[in-house]
Amino acid sequence: MSTVTGAVRTAESTPVLARTLTVVVIGSIMAVLDVTIVNVAIHPLATAFGAPLATIQWVATAYTLAVAAVIPMAAWAMGRFGGKRTYLTALALFIGGSAATALAWNIETLVLFRVVQGLGAGLLMPVGMAMVIRAADRERMGRAMAVLGIPVLIGPVSGPVLGGWLIDAASWHWIFLINLPVGVVALVLAARLLRSDVTRQARRLDVPGLLMLSPGLALLIYGLSTGGERGDVTTPGALLPAVAGLLLIAGFVARGLTARHPLLHLRLFRNRTFAAGIATMTLFPAGYFGSMLLTPMYYQTTRALTATESGLLGIPLAIAVGVSMQIATRRIDKASPRVTIVSGIVVAALGLSLFGAQLGPDTPYWRLCAAMLVMGAGVGMVMMPANATATRTLAPDDVPSGSTTLNIASQIGTSIGTALMSVVLASSVAGATDLSQRAAAFQHTYWWAVTLLALAGVPALLLPRRRRSAGASTPASESRPRSAPVDPENAAPVEGR
């Protein structure tokens, strides 16, 4: 805990920002650890509850659907109740859901309480990010986002190992109970350190928009997840929910462009930097997280490794991502966003290509880890720097809507990527009769992930080429929509191209 606080104080200058970052980083560590721990506990949970794997998968799927359903409410909740109260509510939901999940007595209650956890987690990241962006000096946005990326380093490195140890040394209950001490610390610090913000606008909730977007996202992600599990997105059980979700989202977009007080300000897409950042943060997570689905499956099914062993082999990637992210995101305040992010995409695609090209039934592990180190260096140059660049030009009143939209885009991209990888792998491995053919099937699937990473470079080319000084004029294409005028005292400096 002191390490997190020290990093915050070293990186940032204002007391309000330092306090906000301390709280948000601890809360994010808890949420990221939970996801990475549960991912390695699926098989043990199936054994403990005597349930088939397809049923146990709902422990993860229900959580994801709850996250997707509640994210659209983040911007409205911050405007109506304030960031501090919304964040405290999110922490309480996550802590309460964790305690209840640890006490689950059958698979039905386990899934139900995971939904409660997901409702809290869906608010933690967009609300936390919005509070950090509001508190940050725009000239130091990169350094603030670098500190916000600390959980990305800690979670993937320690989560799988910690989860495996808790299950082996204690029981499955502890993979959820471990959230309680961290959550209580975050809750107490949030109550004491976060500033009680005055709500900027008490506008009514766009109920029709919410009733279209939240179910739409849940249905789309459910359809994609179901198609991925079955290896076929054209089955009625996968295709119909996905199409219904897309239609609801399309209806939300149409309403959002015409409603007086929409749930999310879609006119922010007129801002070229924001639009390019959203597109980048949809395509890149699709390729990155899609590939992360494949790697442990390759190690466990083709190389016969245990879940703990495959988790340990993922540590070099996680360290490379964390270190690169800290360096690149701090440098984004002075470096060219376009050059940094496009270079990161190229490096990430190169590293994943090297990994996929040498896959085989007996490829030395050090060569695979070396390729993942290259990929991780590239990933760290893209994720948080793209978030910082996309949100830097937003006015304070638009920050909650912008951060919420970024989180929605990332969720959709991740779901599309994992579903696509699952479908391609299922079709490729169907005719495999030996380990060499199985490795070739994984190799073929990885090229799809590389393609998604490369496609992210197209919108990234539209990001600003350089930073403008605070007094520089604002290009028309970067200007804020007329419907929401900029507060001259709080306007963010605008980046040039």
Side-chain angles (χ1 to χ4, degrees):
M1 211 69 68
S2 60
T3 303
V4 172
T5 306
V8 171
R9 289 176 178 171
T10 301
E12 309 305 330
S13 57
T14 66
V16 172
L17 178 57
R19 292 196 295 268
T20 304
L21 277 168
T22 299
V23 171
V24 173
V25 167
I26 294 173
S28 298
I29 288 174
M30 174 183 64
V32 173
L33 274 176
D34 179 81
V35 172
T36 55
I37 287 174
V38 171
N39 283 344
V40 302
I42 296 298
H43 285 286
L45 286 173
T47 302
F49 285 93
L53 191 59
T55 302
I56 286 293
Q57 284 289 353
W58 275 98
V59 173
T61 302
Y63 178 92
T64 302
L65 295 180
V67 168
V70 78
I71 281 179
M73 293 189 64
W76 171 81
M78 286 192 71
R80 178 64 178 83
F81 303 107
K84 179 176 181 176
R85 280 187 286 181
T86 304
Y87 197 77
L88 286 171
T89 301
L91 284 172
L93 280 172
F94 193 90
I95 295 168
S98 298
T101 305
L103 300 175
W105 54 90
N106 55 34
I107 186 60
E108 290 80 13
T109 54
L110 184 71
V111 172
L112 174 63
F113 296 141
R114 282 287 284 171
V115 170
V116 178
Q117 268 190 297
L119 294 176
L123 291 174
L124 281 177
M125 183 52 72
V127 174
M129 182 183 294
M131 290 192 299
V132 169
I133 295 170
R134 277 183 171 177
D137 176 351
R138 291 304 191 265
E139 294 300 319
R140 294 178 174 85
M141 180 70 75
R143 277 176 279 184
M145 297 298 282
V147 176
L148 200 58
I150 288 176
V152 179
L153 171 60
I154 296 176
V157 171
S158 57
V161 178
L162 178 61
W165 177 77
L166 286 172
I167 291 172
D168 293 339
S171 69
W172 68 267
H173 303 275
W174 284 95
I175 67 175
F176 301 109
L177 290 174
I178 193 66
N179 293 328
L180 301 188
V182 182
V184 170
V185 170
L187 192 65
V188 172
L189 290 178
R192 296 186 61 181
L193 299 182
L194 290 182
R195 183 173 55 183
S196 296
D197 50 334
V198 178
T199 56
R200 295 174 179 261
Q201 51 184 355
R203 59 185 175 87
R204 291 179 299 176
L205 176 63
D206 177 17
V207 176
L210 180 64
L211 292 178
M212 285 187 281
L213 183 57
S214 289
L217 288 173
L219 285 169
L220 175 61
I221 292 175
Y222 171 78
L224 292 173
S225 300
T226 302
E229 291 171 6
R230 298 178 181 178
D232 186 1
V233 293
T234 62
T235 60
L239 184 60
L240 292 178
V243 171
L246 286 173
L247 291 175
L248 285 171
I249 293 172
F252 166 78
V253 171
R255 175 179 173 78
L257 294 174
T258 57
R260 185 175 181 181
H261 298 294
L263 188 67
L264 297 175
H265 294 299
L266 298 182
R267 289 185 176 86
L268 291 177
F269 283 92
R270 293 179 182 174
N271 181 318
R272 177 170 138 177
T273 298
F274 181 74
I278 287 286
T280 302
M281 287 305 296
T282 302
L283 290 168
F284 192 84
Y288 173 53
F289 290 108
S291 70
M292 291 302 96
L293 170 75
L294 301 175
T295 307
M297 293 176 63
Y298 161 74
Y299 284 137
Q300 294 174 37
T301 63
T302 306
R303 307 300 296 270
L305 299 183
T306 65
T308 302
E309 289 170 335
S310 61
L312 290 172
L313 285 174
I315 289 179
L317 170 67
I319 293 176
V321 171
V323 173
S324 174
M325 182 182 295
Q326 291 298 308
I327 297 172
T329 313
R330 293 169 190 271
R331 289 289 303 163
I332 205 69
D333 290 325
K334 298 179 180 179
S336 164
R338 183 190 301 176
V339 171
T340 300
I341 294 168
V342 172
S343 299
I345 292 172
V346 171
V347 172
L350 173 63
L352 190 58
S353 297
L354 291 173
F355 184 89
Q358 57 184 334
L359 278 188
D362 54 2
T363 307
Y365 293 119
W366 70 265
R367 284 168 51 184
L368 297 175
C369 289
M372 280 299 177
L373 280 172
V374 176
M375 179 188 177
V379 170
M381 296 168 66
V382 177
M383 302 288 279
M384 280 299 180
N387 278 325
T389 301
T391 55
R392 193 194 304 272
T393 58
L394 299 181
D397 285 346
D398 286 333
V399 166
S401 185
S403 64
T404 299
T405 307
L406 270 169
N407 278 271
I408 290 174
S410 181
Q411 278 283 336
I412 292 176
T414 300
S415 300
I416 291 174
T418 53
L420 178 62
M421 297 306 114
S422 298
V423 171
V424 173
L425 179 62
S427 61
S428 300
V429 81
T433 57
D434 55 38
L435 292 180
S436 295
Q437 292 179 347
R438 179 175 288 273
F442 276 96
Q443 189 175 60
H444 169 74
T445 309
Y446 270 106
W447 292 121
W448 285 80
V450 171
T451 301
L452 288 173
L453 292 182
L455 287 175
V458 177
L461 289 171
L462 299 176
L463 292 170
R465 187 175 67 245
R466 61 182 180 276
R467 288 292 315 280
R468 283 182 180 263
S469 62
S473 60
T474 302
S477 60
E478 295 288 352
S479 61
R480 196 169 174 275
R482 294 180 182 178
S483 59
V486 174
D487 177 355
E489 296 182 358
N490 294 314
V494 178
E495 297 162 321
R497 289 182 290 279

